[in-house]
Structures are given as structure tokens and as C-alpha cells.
Amino acid sequence: MHLNSTDIEQDHRLGRIRLLDEQRVNLDGFAEPDPDLGMISHLSPHDPAPSWVVADDGSVLEMDSTPVASFDTIDEFIVRYAIDHTEAPRAMAMDETDLARMIVDSSVPREQVLRVCAGLTPAKMARVVSMLQPVEIQMAMMKMRARRTPANQAHVTNRLDDPLLIAADAATAVVYGFRELEATVPVLDDAPAVAVGLLIGSQVPAPGALTQCSVEEARELELGVRGLVSYAETVSVYGTEQVFTDGDDTPWSKAFLTSSYASRGIKMRLSSGAGSEVLMGQAERKSMNYLESRCVALAKGIGAQGVQNGGIDGAGITASVPGGVRELIAENLMVMLRGLESCSGNDSLMSESTMRRTSRTLPVLLSGSDFIFSGFGSVSAYDNMFGPSNFNADDLDDYLVLQRDWGVDGGLRSVDPTTLEAMRRLAAEATRAVFEYLGLADFDDDHVEAVVGAQGSKDLPQTDGVKVLSAARMIDQSGLTVLDVVTALAETGFTDLADRVLGMAKARVTGDYLQTAAIFDEEMNVLSALQDPNDYRGPGTGYRPSPERQAQIDAVRQARSVADLVKEQATFAQSERLVAVGAARIGDDPREVVIGVSPAFGTKLFQTLSGLTIYDALEQILAGLEEEQCVPRLVRITDSIDLGAIGKSAAQLSGSGIAVGLQAKGTTIIHRRDLTPLANLELLSVAPLITPEMYRLIGINAGRHAKGATPAPMRNAYTEEAITARYHTRVVSMVAIEREQSEHRDENRNPHIELEFTQ
């Protein structure tokens, strides 16, 4: 069908609005606050007023405006197990502003704050935290986190549940510095095979990384009892009774499950997070912050050593309302104020906007937390079976640079490709050996090679899903334990790895890592609230990276030194093409144009910032001069690295009085002998954007100036890229090299050297 112009709908939006509508932030959903739906981050008009009323005999008559006769199961549990009844009367009587200031004040010891907060009800805690500005929350977190040393947790999953890829990706995560690894599965029955791969791979680069396979709770507990996993965090609690009821749970059943994990030597934290009650339609008109305050109080009463919160699966809905992102970090602070380990969210992709994703994560990175992420997606986003994380494998370099920019410890470090390949190979080969030795499955050499080099599961050959499922069922039905894995590793030659896996089993028996906020460092030392307590008391105190750790933070793989640049530049050298032939003279040919080059041009530097070699740039300028029937002459100016001075000096040598100045980095100028050094006829200053055609036009225009003709006007190229960020580090190195090659002015010596150029 033929369409004419009247059939096409016109876009009447302003150009600026069209521009804004194209940005990825507009893919996010944003909601008007609606307390009736629970769509409010803080201080719903339906939140209860804080209260604590007790009888003469000490029995509680009312908490948070609810009389004891109207308590639901959450109220009952919190009153019985979460509130310090001795501290409550004094704490609840304190002014909320005084409490907020005490929490932020670095001169007030953490222990004193914990003692007071132990007596706060959920409503009081929520109101106090809601008073804090974002920077004040960060200040409080620096003081209140349990463990002195920050750490990080990774998601390690894939679409195929391939155990060799799980192992290789686990090794990758640990070599980058993650100390906890969390897996899950798209096929529930694959879990045992995934757990074995995760266990083996996690110990390859260094001992001590904790692992879990997040599945249905009974199966997850069984994996822990067998020693195939070492921690759990999927026991969820909620802020309203109806949501508990919908899941056939109560605070008491969650407490029983928590004790089951801990009694078997499995580190255990609870999961919660604002937005879950809203998504389930049972927020009871309360604010997200208040409901999460109830969850955190429950965690304290249940006896878990920590909490994974900060939105988690509900982060998107929390972030959709005003103040929602501030609420996410406030959740983490409430965990710290209860004296628990904070595993600080960031594990659910909350936005399509890179800026919003970063703004959600950066405050936690800067203030520090026991775990900056409760699941950094260390794998490709498409392989993350929890759903894409707020940061994923393709964000690793960005995150490492953020650490470096701010000089803070986010738990990770850069890895060179050779080390990474070796760790992935060892993990894949060891896992293959274990599966073959135990009669679970066979994987050929091609599969191992594919796993080692893979970005993710899409790079693997077609996988037999039944193979993994069959292996997992054999593990499940045989009762295989960590000791069988140790034996298989030892018998197949992976003795060091066998010792590390056995060391994790021994740690289970010792139980030291069940302490609050416990991790192992890479020497198998326990770091926890007991052995590594947070001692921040203001500037000059608290955690500071050691010199060795700071060097790791600073050393990103993209950093280049001057020596690196010299080595790289030398690969473009063609020494026979540019030869010194003596001292430069003053010319007398009116059609002569001198090309003055910088001191390191053709001696140490051979490639411009645009990617062209210096020879390519010269050839184009010479071609332009030839086109105008001008006579070129090449001179090295050794007494200055300034392009204006180079051009001026060259013009004073030129028979026509016109010259081209050319630096090794590619910046070029047309100068005339009667102009001051900073004046010029034409300048191409943005070296990375200068094309061969532009260099040729410089030659043409220089020739036209020499003949007194009218040159064709030329403009600098421009870009929307961060051109200075991309190239200025190279510029600094190139300028340093130019400076090293330059010579001080000497009245007794000619600083200008005539050159011959072989085209």
C-alpha cells in the first residue's frame, strides 16, 4: 500500500523531549506514592506510633500502639525474643533526634549504640533511621557494620547447570576476590551436581571461600549436612503475618529452620527486603521501611547471625517510589544497628539506567559493609539464574575502577588473563576428574577447552542435559559427601585441592565461622565481629587497606606506564624512513614550506593518538603540499615541545615563512613567521580525531598560504566521547617522553635538525 505524507503520524514532541525519551532510565517504572498499597518508602500515615508499655510485673502490655491482646505472631515473637526488656524503657524514652545523632556521631562507641538499639521497637527504629540523610546513613554504616574488613559475595550460575562451567566460574570469582559464592539452578534436581562443581572451583585459587546452592530449603539443608555447601541465606522473613501465612510459615518455623542449619555447622543468615509485602498484596498500608524494621527485629530474635536485605527481589518496586533507594541502604543500616551481619543487597537489577544502578551501589561501596553485594553477578547476565544482578560480569572492570577512583576496598582485585586462564583450567579439569572417578559423568577434552575459554554457557557446545541430571541424581541417591569429593581429588592427583576442600570440612567441625559476620581470608583465618571487630571512631580509625591491599586496589589491568608506552610505540618504528642529515638552514625558496616535528618524533614515538603512524601523517601532509606544487622540507625542533613554538621556529626557517608544526601525538598547526607563538593560521588540536584527509588538507592549506592563495576552511573534529578520559593518560606519557628528548636552548648550538624522509 502506498503511503503519502498525510498518512504518517507526525511526531510533535520537542526535540529535547525526544532526546530524553530515548534514554534508558525511561524503561524503568516509577510510581506515585500510595500508602494504601504500601507504595511509600518511609513514614506511612498508617505506620504505628512507637510505644512500649509494661505492667508493674514487667509484662508487656503494648508495643508500637498495639495492645497485647491484638498482637499478631510477629509482634509476639519480637516482644519475646528481639527486644531487650531491660534496655527498652530507657531507649524508648529517648528523643528520636538524639538517637539519630548518637547513631551518626563517630565519638559514640558502636557498643553503646548497639546497647541502646537493642531496646528499640520496630516502629521506633524505623522512625529514627528515616531521619537520616544519605551521607549520615553512610557515616553510621562506617561505624556500625559488624566486621572491620569489607568483603563481597558473587552469584555463580549458568543456564545449563554445567558443573564444569560452574567450577571454572567459581574459580574466576575467587581469583577476583569474592569470599562467598551463591549458586542456584534452573532445574531443581541438578542442585547436587552444581554444588559439587561450586565447591571444587571455589577452592582452586585460594582456600576458604564459602559456598551455597540456593534451592528449596529441605534440599539445601541436606546439601549442607553432606558438607557440599557451607552457608545459607534463603530463609525468608516478612513484615506482615499474612505473607508468612501464605507461605505456610511463622516466625517460629523460621527460627527452627535457622537452628537446624547452625546446629550442623552451616553459616546462616535470613533474607528479607522492602517491596516483598507490596508485591504480595499484603503491605497492610504500612511503609516499606517500617515493615523491613519488623523483619530485622525478627532476625535478631530468631538468632540468625546476619540478614540479606536491601530490596533483594523487591528492589525495583522500592526504587520506584520517592526516597526508595535511600530506603534500600537504610535497610542495611537497621541490620547493623541490631548487631547482625549485613549482606547489603545490590543483587537484583533495579534499573535499566547505568547511572541509577551505580547510584544505588556507590554509597555502600564507600561506607563499607560486611558484604557490599549479596550477589554480584560474576557471570554473564544471561547466565544468572537469580536474574541479572545490579552489577554483572561485564561490570567488573567498572567496579574495580570505582574502587581505585575512591581508594576504598570493595573486596575485589584485578586479575591478569594468564592467571585467570590457569585457574579456570584447573577448576574444570579437577571437576571433570571428580565426576569421572565417582562414576557420575564423563566430559571430553573439547568440553574442558570450551569451558576454559567461555564467556558463558552460550559458548559451550550442545550439552546433554540428561548427563547433568543423571549425575545429580546419583549424588543425591548415593549419599555422597564432601569426603568422597576429597578422596576423588586426592586419587586423581589434585592433592593440594583435596587438602583445601578437606580444610573446609574441618572448619565445619570447629564452627568458628558461625560467628557473626564470619568469613575466611585466603590463609583460612576467621574474620568476624569477634576476631575482626569494627573499631571505627572517626578519622584515622577503623579499617584502612594495608599497603599490599591498597596496591591491589590501585592496580587495574588497564593502567599503563611510560615504559609500557615506549615499548608499544617501538613496534611502529621504521628507522630507515626518517634520517638526520645535519643542522637546519634558513630557506630562500618562496614556495618552500617547512614541516617542523617535535623532539621525540621518530626517535621514541612512532604512532599518533588517532592510530595513524607518524609516517602516515607525514605522507598526507607532504601529499597536500605536492598537490599545491610547494617544496617541503622536514626539520626536527629539539628545543621545545610546545606546538606553537615548534610551528613558529619552523616558519622562521621556511623560505615562504609558512610552516606546519607536527607533534608525535598527532596535533598539528599551520604557522607564519611574523605571528607570535600562540597565534596561528590553523590548528587541529584534538589529535585522536585527526583523519588522513585532514592531514592532507593541512598540507594543501599550508601550500595555499605559502602561495598567497585562499585556503579551504577546516574545523576541528568533535565527539561526544569522554575524549580526555580516553587519551589524556597517554598524552601525559607522550609529553614526558617528548620532554626527555628535548634539549635546552644553547646559543652555541643549532637546535634544529634537517631530516630526510623516505616515502
Side-chain angles (χ1 to χ4, degrees), residues 276-310:
S276 58
E277 299 87 0
V278 176
L279 289 169
M280 296 182 196
Q282 291 291 345
E284 297 179 358
R285 305 199 299 171
K286 305 300 192 296
S287 72
M288 298 178 187
N289 193 49
Y290 166 69
L291 293 180
E292 185 57 22
S293 183
R294 297 186 94 196
C295 292
V296 173
L298 280 174
K300 181 69 173 180
I302 284 171
Q305 64 85 43
V307 180
Q308 171 188 230
N309 74 351

Side-chain angles (χ1 to χ4, degrees), residues 550-565:
Q550 193 64 56
Q552 286 185 337
I553 293 168
D554 295 345
V556 295
R557 66 187 180 89
Q558 301 91 337
R560 297 290 184 269
S561 66
V562 174
D564 292 329
L565 181 70

Side-chain angles (χ1 to χ4, degrees), residues 548-691:
E548 295 77 16
R549 175 61 185 135
Q550 193 64 56
Q552 286 185 337
I553 293 168
D554 295 345
V556 295
R557 66 187 180 89
Q558 301 91 337
R560 297 290 184 269
S561 66
V562 174
D564 292 329
L565 181 70
V566 170
K567 184 177 179 181
E568 176 188 307
Q569 287 277 327
T571 64
F572 298 94
Q574 300 175 28
S575 57
E576 72 282 358
R577 298 195 63 188
L578 204 57
V579 179
V581 294
R585 56 180 174 77
I586 297 175
D588 54 14
D589 187 336
R591 284 185 171 264
E592 179 185 72
V593 174
V594 170
I595 303 172
V597 299
S598 58
F601 190 101
T603 61
K604 293 287 186 179
L605 300 176
F606 306 94
Q607 186 188 39
T608 70
L609 292 175
S610 70
L612 293 172
T613 67
I614 59 169
Y615 314 113
D616 294 332
L618 266 180
E619 285 176 348
Q620 293 298 327
I621 294 172
L622 290 170
L625 288 169
E626 181 180 352
E627 186 175 323
E628 294 297 319
Q629 292 86 45
C630 286
V631 179
R633 184 157 59 100
L634 193 59
V635 174
R636 188 189 314 283
I637 309 298
T638 64
D639 60 349
S640 179
I641 68 170
D642 178 77
L643 183 60
I646 291 170
K648 171 77 172 181
S649 295
Q652 290 173 331
L653 296 172
S654 173
S656 68
I658 299 297
V660 174
L662 180 60
Q663 290 176 318
K665 64 186 176 72
T667 311
T668 188
I669 196 172
I670 301 175
H671 223 303
R672 196 174 66 205
R673 70 161 67 104
D674 62 327
L675 298 175
T676 61
L678 295 182
N680 60 77
L681 298 175
E682 290 191 34
L683 171 66
L684 291 181
S685 59
V686 189
L689 304 181
I690 304 177
T691 64

